[in-house]
Amino acid sequence: MALVAMTKPQPIRAASSVLVWRQFHGQAEVLCGKRNPNMAFAGGQIVFPGGRLERGDAQTKSATALSPKTRKLLAYESRHSPEGLAQAGLRELMEETGLVVGQHLAQGSDMRLRGDFACLEFLSRAITPPRNTRRYDARFFALPIDAVTDRITAVEHHEFVALDYRPISELLEDKLMPPTRLALLQLADHLKGQLVPKMLKGPKNIFPIDL
């Protein structure tokens, strides 16, 4: 009888990314970069600042509250704190780019942030398919550059080989991972006032989040 190798299911890690956008010379641009090719996950891919939810994110006090709509969207089919997911996105943004959204509280070499949650707009959510070696349940937020309150030295800039603002229209012509493409399309709709929050399960299963 043939033996079938059983692979252990990969844990799904909660994560958040922030799409910082601006208007420049009549075009909408978004802050993004290529992930360091030496990274185990998405090496060499175009990504936005962001990362995993950490244990202390849900306990960190914020400077402002989430809007009721954003909080409901983050709570949809989720066991994680909506505030923790928002904090994770803004904390990772600060660590990777030095952009502060809220109140930066320096404690020695430790960087603390009381995030300004009110300026976050929920765009989309994407769950990595089961076949991947690493799986994430990622939320994507839109954030206008005007919401940035301070700039400090980034401490995790090694994760990007390039980080800059690029036109949304130009990025959509590039080869992108499905969650990245969806988030960009959602941002474009948001800027046109036509946003319908969406969820991506697997590479192609996209559907609106119905609250």
Side-chain angles (χ1 to χ4, degrees):
M1 182 175 67
L3 296 177
V4 179
M6 300 296 289
T7 58
K8 185 179 179 180
Q10 292 298 314
I12 301 177
R13 301 174 173 92
S16 296
S17 288
V18 180
L19 282 68
V20 180
W21 63 271
R22 70 179 187 181
Q23 293 290 345
F24 188 70
H25 293 319
Q27 290 192 90
E29 296 185 334
V30 64
L31 183 64
C32 63
K34 281 197 173 181
R35 193 163 163 82
N36 192 315
N38 297 320
M39 303 296 287
F41 180 78
Q45 297 288 336
I46 294 173
V47 294
F48 311 109
R52 289 189 297 176
L53 175 72
E54 294 186 354
R55 183 173 297 177
D57 287 331
Q59 283 73 49
T60 304
K61 292 182 179 180
S62 63
T64 60
L66 290 165
S67 72
K69 180 181 178 182
T70 299
R71 196 176 194 287
K72 285 182 180 179
L73 288 164
L74 289 171
Y76 176 79
E77 294 186 0
S78 174
R79 62 184 178 85
H80 299 289
S81 158
E83 286 75 18
L85 293 167
Q87 175 70 15
L90 293 182
R91 174 185 51 74
E92 288 283 344
L93 176 68
M94 181 179 72
E95 293 174 354
E96 294 178 349
T97 71
L99 297 179
V100 178
V101 181
Q103 301 171 11
H104 171 233
L105 308 171
Q107 297 182 359
S109 61
D110 205 9
M111 292 200 304
R112 304 281 175 155
L113 175 71
R114 293 186 64 188
D116 181 3
F117 294 171
C119 58
L120 289 171
E121 182 75 31
F122 179 94
L123 295 174
S124 58
R125 178 179 175 185
I127 300 177
T128 313
R131 67 177 181 274
N132 289 62
T133 55
R134 293 195 180 187
R135 299 188 67 196
Y136 292 95
D137 184 354
R139 281 75 169 179
F140 295 83
F141 300 93
L143 179 84
I145 187 62
D146 292 345
V148 173
T149 54
D150 197 5
R151 287 171 171 80
I152 62 173
T153 302
V155 296
E156 294 185 2
H157 52 81
H158 63 279
E159 295 192 11
F160 292 97
V161 293
L163 184 66
D164 204 353
Y165 289 92
R166 291 183 59 187
I168 296 174
S169 56
E170 175 187 297
L171 279 169
L172 286 171
E173 295 176 0
D174 214 328
K175 185 176 181 179
L176 303 170
M177 295 184 295
T180 305
R181 181 171 297 278
L182 175 60
L184 277 174
L185 291 170
Q186 290 291 95
L187 177 59
D189 283 349
H190 167 56
L191 297 180
K192 291 184 288 188
Q194 301 173 358
L195 178 64
V196 176
K198 292 177 182 175
M199 188 166 182
L200 169 65
K201 287 187 176 180
K204 297 180 180 179
N205 185 19
I206 301 172
F207 54 91
I209 298 177
D210 185 6
L211 297 178

